[in-house]
Amino acid sequence: MPNLQAAEAHRQSHLPHKIPEPASALGFRRARVGERVGEGETSEWHLYPLWSWTMIEQLDSFGIGVSLYFRQLLAMTFIVGICAAILTPSVNHNRRNCDHDAVRGPFRNTGLSRGSAAGCFADDLSVGQNVGPDIAVCVIILVAAILADYIRSVSTKRIDDNQQTPSDYTVMIRNPPSHIVDPDKYRDFFKNQFDDDIVLVTMSKDNGELMMLMATRAGYLQDLADFDESLTNSRRQRNELGCIGKMLQPYLYSMGLFKTPDYARAELETVEAKLKEKIGENTGEDWHKPRSVFVTFATEAAMERALQTFEVSALRRWFSNTTGWEFQDTPLAFEGRVLNVCRPVEPTEMQWHTSHVRLPERVVRMFVSFALTAALIACFVLAATQMTGGALPAFVTIVNTLLPQLLKGISGMVEIHREYGDEQDSMFLKLLGARVANTGIAAFVSFNARERGTKEALDQVMVILILDAFFLPLIRALDPYDLFVRRVVGPQQPTQRAMNRFWSGAEWTIAERYTDVAKTLFVGMFYAAAVPVGLWLTAASMLVNFLVDHYCLLRLWGRKPDFDDQISRRFIGVVSIIVLVHVVATQSFFQNWGVFPRSMDIGGDDEQSFKDPPGYDKDEFGQTSMCWGVNGRDAFKCRKPQDKRLTNPQHVANDIYPVLGWIALIVALWRFVGVVIYNYFWYFCSGERAHDDGAMPITFRQLGARIDGYVPVVPHPVVGEPPLIVADVAGVPRDVLPLPPDTIVEDHVLCARQVVRPLLPSGLDDAKVDHVLADCFGTVKFYDPPVLSPMDSPPAD
């Protein structure tokens, strides 16, 4: 009978633990799931501490992507804190000079809007107290955005040196010859070329659809096994659902709800019929072709030599492979082909099961996904513009909480990616656009140009920042959805093992975390001129996010694939765009600073007194400055019909901010577009890459169980289960397989006779079944270390 105590023990065992590792620069490493060293008082298996002076360095063991996120978050906290301090004179100036007796009621500089632009007159704007500090903030963040990429590359190098990963020893061949299906050919070629030990050769195929069908079948078989076990343990099953339950069952079954044996059996029959047809299609000469090949060396130095040897431009490689002509420095061809060799992403980041989807289809799917996201954003912004009073901050907070799940659903249904990093990058862009529009832009367009500087509008901005700083991190730490899954869905499972799957850690994504930070920074910077005290809340929000995310990573979240610095590079570009938007928004606020002249009595008891106060001349003051149009060299200048009425600080801002705007635009274009074009151009015309000359002396074989190989896997359809291996791994040591130590390997290998035989015509002998397996699945071959001759043996101590 499933019980909560056993489930909690399972959850504790899946939390991140560290164990000693003398070979690591850190002196320890992150334990694999289920891995232990010692028991009881002698155990060297410990939870990561929530606080220590080396907490940032300890995060290096979680991989480059996670460590960079926390480093960048802490750096942004420090930078925004400095900017907030620089704007403190603006806060004090607004408090002293904008609290006018003539401004009454909801337009006065009081409450949350104290120290903001609320209640100010045009001549309250000061060059030294408002414009100057804001220009300094722009310069500081622009310089940070320019230097951030260099700092990121240095940090990435340091993080990589603090851990040993499979990609440190492996090269990927993107264009393997289609007629070479024997891994030994690659082993012999690279061994002869570099005179080094080869540990693994992995040959993968374009069999992603077959992988998914095999995994789906395994999931239903696992569910039926759970149902059988529950009957053995006399646990009552629910086999009949009502009308509504049957309608919802196809959508909620994968979440662990409305599971019944009859549904599992019916779906299993459907999947097996598709599999029999697919296997029949996949056997034949065409399915011998490998899609990509991974060669794992024993040392990092050999891997780096391989990258340098095959360092040639795509243009020259295409010319040599097409014409057969070779230049003097063209790398030695393999079976008549110049290989395209590169360093792969980590094996946990590979999405082997999407190999069958070609680039045109992936692009179309991306376009559809972004279009759906844009429509969703438009609906939310339109709804936000209809909010009145204090409803807007509550609406924004609720939508920001729901957006990750909504966009994750859209992406999961529409998009297909080859790598986990690309999936997160797409999620980052969509979620960033949605959150920025919902949080910053919706609040801006909800008011007209004159109302944006009122207490009502700026109070709502402050409430949004306060909720971002304290309420949303609290929700994330409590994680109501994970509590629901553990406490409600978990106990409904038929067995303890099935229940434990829902206690393996809360779901999270690096894209969601980056967009949360970027959204808060966007809102704080967007309104920094009008609400300078908001930058203090932005800095506080980032610090709270750092502490809460650090706690969640170590005590709440589930384990994620090791990913690279792809999103951290994207985030740097986003920061430069935020500066660009800040320049334009600040121009708008400064040029419309103080809508009414000082002689006007403002703030009657009714709304009409604000729209048409006594003595108000619409022809003279009714039109506000336009700062959003683009018109050649005047793109960032604001235009006002009565330009002579601009104050001196407004003239200064109108002269300086266009320069800052162009600089920010150039930096943003370079970070988002220029770098991509440059990298593709360099790859096509040169092919040279940066190399690591500080290779670690420790070998792949010495790492043993501490490192995985490149083994094609597919996610298990049953939540919380280890992945399923979809390649021939006969002879591969248990330690190299990407499975927890306590997992029965045979239960998670789909490329096996006993698994495939029921899907084949009866009467096939083992040789014919093996032939089908070779046609349909890739291969991972492990090579024993070379036997040293007496002459090669190291001298005795």
Side-chain angles (χ1 to χ4, degrees):
M1 193 77 176
N3 65 84
L4 293 176
Q5 291 77 14
E8 177 61 26
H10 173 83
R11 190 184 78 84
Q12 290 291 328
S13 69
H14 277 63
L15 293 177
H17 288 72
K18 62 177 184 176
I19 56 179
E21 178 52 72
S24 170
L26 295 172
F28 65 89
R29 63 179 174 84
R30 183 176 52 152
R32 300 169 74 177
V33 175
E35 181 183 9
R36 290 175 178 269
V37 178
E39 296 291 342
E41 295 182 358
T42 63
S43 175
E44 299 181 73
W45 185 70
H46 303 290
L47 286 170
Y48 281 79
L50 291 176
W51 168 260
S52 72
W53 291 110
T54 60
M55 59 192 296
I56 297 297
E57 192 174 46
Q58 289 187 22
L59 292 173
D60 292 352
S61 60
F62 286 80
I64 292 174
V66 170
S67 184
L68 277 178
Y69 165 70
F70 283 97
R71 288 172 183 264
Q72 288 180 323
L73 181 53
L74 203 59
M76 289 307 302
T77 303
F78 178 72
I79 292 170
V80 174
I82 291 177
C83 293
I86 292 174
L87 289 184
T88 299
S90 298
V91 178
N92 295 331
H93 170 80
N94 294 342
R95 283 178 176 174
R96 291 192 306 266
N97 295 275
C98 295
D99 189 10
H100 302 290
D101 293 335
V103 180
R104 301 187 303 277
F107 315 118
R108 193 159 188 173
N109 197 296
T110 58
L112 291 176
S113 298
R114 184 75 169 161
S116 70
C120 293
F121 292 133
D123 54 3
D124 290 328
L125 186 66
S126 166
V127 173
Q129 304 297 319
N130 296 109
V131 180
D134 191 84
I135 291 173
V137 167
C138 292
V139 172
I140 288 174
I141 298 187
L142 265 179
V143 171
I146 294 171
L147 297 179
D149 197 53
Y150 170 75
I151 298 172
R152 177 202 56 78
S153 62
V154 172
S155 299
T156 300
K157 175 68 169 58
R158 177 171 180 173
I159 297 167
D160 191 46
D161 290 343
N162 282 339
Q163 58 173 345
Q164 299 301 113
T165 62
S167 67
D168 292 330
Y169 300 91
T170 304
V171 296
M172 176 183 178
I173 302 168
R174 295 181 179 272
N175 62 338
S178 59
H179 64 286
I180 303 298
V181 296
D182 184 2
D184 293 343
K185 295 274 190 180
Y186 289 93
R187 190 277 305 266
D188 295 340
F189 176 76
F190 281 93
K191 182 177 176 61
N192 294 334
Q193 277 279 91
F194 306 107
D195 192 27
D196 205 327
D197 179 19
I198 305 297
V199 181
L200 286 170
V201 173
T202 301
M203 305 184 71
S204 66
K205 296 188 176 183
D206 283 333
N207 58 350
E209 188 175 357
L210 179 65
M211 286 185 184
M212 291 303 298
L213 287 172
M214 292 292 292
T216 303
R217 175 177 182 257
Y220 286 124
L221 288 173
Q222 180 63 62
D223 287 338
L224 290 173
D226 291 340
F227 288 129
D228 292 341
E229 183 179 344
S230 68
L231 284 177
T232 303
N233 296 330
S234 300
R235 181 177 170 87
R236 185 175 62 86
Q237 296 178 2
R238 179 176 59 186
N239 202 29
E240 291 296 332
L241 296 175
C243 242
I244 297 179
K246 289 180 179 179
M247 289 176 56
L248 297 176
Q249 190 174 30
Y251 307 102
L252 300 179
Y253 187 95
S254 61
M255 298 173 58
L257 297 173
F258 299 151
K259 284 192 171 185
T260 61
D262 287 347
Y263 182 85
R265 292 190 191 97
E267 291 297 310
L268 178 62
E269 290 179 6
T270 303
V271 171
E272 288 187 340
K274 292 180 180 178
L275 267 172
K276 291 175 182 179
E277 181 181 353
K278 196 68 182 175
I279 290 176
E281 296 174 357
N282 288 6
T283 53
E285 290 300 322
D286 289 343
W287 284 92
H288 282 281
K289 299 177 182 178
R291 176 177 69 89
S292 55
V293 176
F294 300 81
V295 179
T296 301
F297 295 87
T299 63
E300 281 191 61
M303 185 275 293
E304 288 292 341
R305 289 202 306 272
L307 289 179
Q308 294 180 26
T309 299
F310 290 92
E311 202 171 58
V312 63
S313 70
L315 179 62
R316 286 180 53 190
R317 184 170 51 250
W318 171 83
F319 183 82
S320 297
N321 288 333
T322 303
T323 65
W325 295 356
E326 297 183 1
F327 298 91
Q328 183 176 0
D329 58 345
T330 299
L332 180 65
F334 172 69
E335 298 290 332
R337 175 169 298 187
V338 178
L339 299 179
N340 181 2
V341 177
C342 64
R343 180 172 177 172
V345 297
E346 299 301 335
T348 53
E349 195 174 341
M350 300 286 297
Q351 299 204 18
W352 308 87
H353 56 287
T354 64
S355 60
H356 61 293
V357 183
R358 296 295 183 258
L359 179 61
E361 181 180 347
R362 297 202 306 271
V363 172
V364 171
R365 286 174 172 271
M366 284 273 289
F367 177 81
V368 172
S369 178
F370 275 83
L372 292 174
T373 302
L376 187 68
I377 293 172
C379 292
F380 283 138
V381 172
L382 183 62
T385 58
Q386 307 304 312
M387 300 290 166
T388 58
L392 180 61
F395 176 80
V396 165
T397 301
I398 292 172
V399 171
N400 279 337
T401 304
L402 297 177
L403 273 174
Q405 297 302 322
L406 293 174
L407 296 186
K408 196 182 300 179
I410 292 176
S411 299
M413 289 188 296
V414 179
E415 294 184 19
I416 295 179
H417 298 277
R418 289 282 181 90
E419 297 173 4
Y420 181 77
D422 292 337
E423 176 186 307
Q424 290 299 295
D425 191 34
S426 171
M427 183 71 174
F428 171 77
L429 292 175
K430 294 196 298 289
L431 192 54
L432 177 66
R435 280 181 158 170
V436 163
N438 177 66
T439 308
I441 298 177
F444 188 80
V445 301
S446 295
F447 300 91
N448 62 41
R450 284 196 289 144
E451 292 171 336
R452 288 166 192 155
T454 64
K455 173 177 166 54
E456 178 187 4
L458 300 183
D459 273 356
Q460 295 201 23
V461 173
M462 288 293 291
V463 172
I464 289 173
L465 288 172
I466 291 171
L467 291 175
D468 267 356
F470 304 108
F471 179 72
L472 290 181
L474 176 63
I475 294 296
R476 190 163 63 254
L478 296 176
D479 203 337
Y481 176 75
D482 184 58
L483 286 175
F484 170 78
V485 167
R486 282 191 281 144
R487 300 289 179 174
V488 178
V489 180
Q492 296 185 29
Q493 304 309 303
T495 65
Q496 184 66 53
R497 175 181 174 180
M499 180 179 179
N500 288 348
R501 297 179 191 128
F502 294 90
W503 288 68
S504 299
E507 177 67 17
W508 70 284
T509 63
I510 194 70
E512 179 187 350
R513 299 310 320 123
Y514 265 113
T515 55
D516 208 13
V517 175
K519 172 256 301 177
T520 302
L521 179 63
F522 178 89
V523 176
M525 290 294 294
F526 192 95
Y527 290 97
V531 194
V533 72
L535 274 191
W536 282 114
L537 285 173
T538 303
S541 175
M542 291 185 172
L543 180 60
V544 171
N545 274 307
F546 175 88
L547 297 175
V548 170
D549 287 354
H550 186 260
Y551 164 79
C552 292
L553 179 71
L554 302 182
R555 297 294 187 269
L556 183 63
W557 289 341
R559 196 177 185 116
K560 283 292 181 180
D562 294 333
F563 33 80
D564 56 20
D565 59 351
Q566 183 172 349
I567 297 186
S568 68
R569 285 182 273 119
R570 184 78 71 184
F571 177 72
I572 295 172
V574 169
V575 171
S576 59
I577 289 181
I578 289 175
V579 178
L580 173 63
V581 175
H582 167 77
V583 168
V584 179
T586 299
Q587 269 280 65
S588 178
F589 283 120
F590 281 166
Q591 300 307 318
N592 292 296
W593 196 273
V595 178
F596 302 105
R598 183 176 292 275
S599 60
M600 199 166 290
D601 186 26
I602 311 168
D605 296 331
D606 57 358
E607 184 179 357
Q608 189 63 29
S609 65
F610 170 68
K611 295 184 178 298
D612 297 296
Y616 176 69
D617 186 349
K618 290 184 179 180
D619 294 333
E620 186 174 1
F621 299 105
Q623 300 186 44
T624 55
S625 296
M626 300 299 296
C627 303
W628 302 94
V630 177
N631 183 20
R633 59 187 179 87
D634 295 330
F636 297 100
K637 277 186 175 294
C638 293
R639 291 167 291 281
K640 190 171 184 176
Q642 292 80 24
D643 190 63
K644 62 181 181 180
R645 294 190 176 276
L646 290 178
T647 63
N648 181 60
Q650 289 173 328
H651 278 294
V652 171
N654 215 17
D655 291 335
I656 296 178
Y657 276 88
V659 178
L660 293 175
W662 281 112
I663 295 174
L665 178 62
I666 292 171
V667 173
L669 288 176
W670 170 252
R671 290 303 321 155
F672 257 89
V673 181
V675 172
V676 176
I677 295 175
Y678 172 82
N679 288 338
Y680 274 104
F681 177 82
W682 195 253
Y683 165 78
F684 189 76
C685 297
S686 174
E688 294 183 5
R689 307 179 181 92
H691 296 286
D692 183 6
D693 297 327
M696 295 289 288
I698 187 171
T699 68
F700 186 94
R701 297 186 189 277
Q702 290 174 322
L703 292 171
R706 293 160 284 181
I707 194 168
D708 295 334
Y710 280 82
V711 179
V713 295
V714 61
H716 203 299
V718 178
V719 177
E721 282 289 321
L724 297 164
I725 296 175
V726 279
D728 180 7
V729 292
V732 178
R734 171 68 178 78
D735 292 344
V736 178
L737 300 178
L739 296 175
D742 56 349
T743 303
I744 301 174
V745 176
E746 290 73 16
D747 292 345
H748 289 265
V749 177
L750 300 183
C751 180
R753 293 174 184 168
Q754 68 273 17
V755 177
V756 176
R757 191 182 291 277
L759 304 172
L760 301 176
S762 59
L764 294 182
D765 57 21
D766 289 348
K768 291 183 178 179
V769 174
D770 290 343
H771 183 76
V772 172
L773 292 176
D775 279 346
C776 295
F777 297 97
T779 303
V780 182
K781 189 163 185 179
F782 176 82
Y783 297 95
D784 293 323
V787 179
L788 297 177
S789 65
M791 297 294 295
D792 296 329
S793 301
D797 293 335

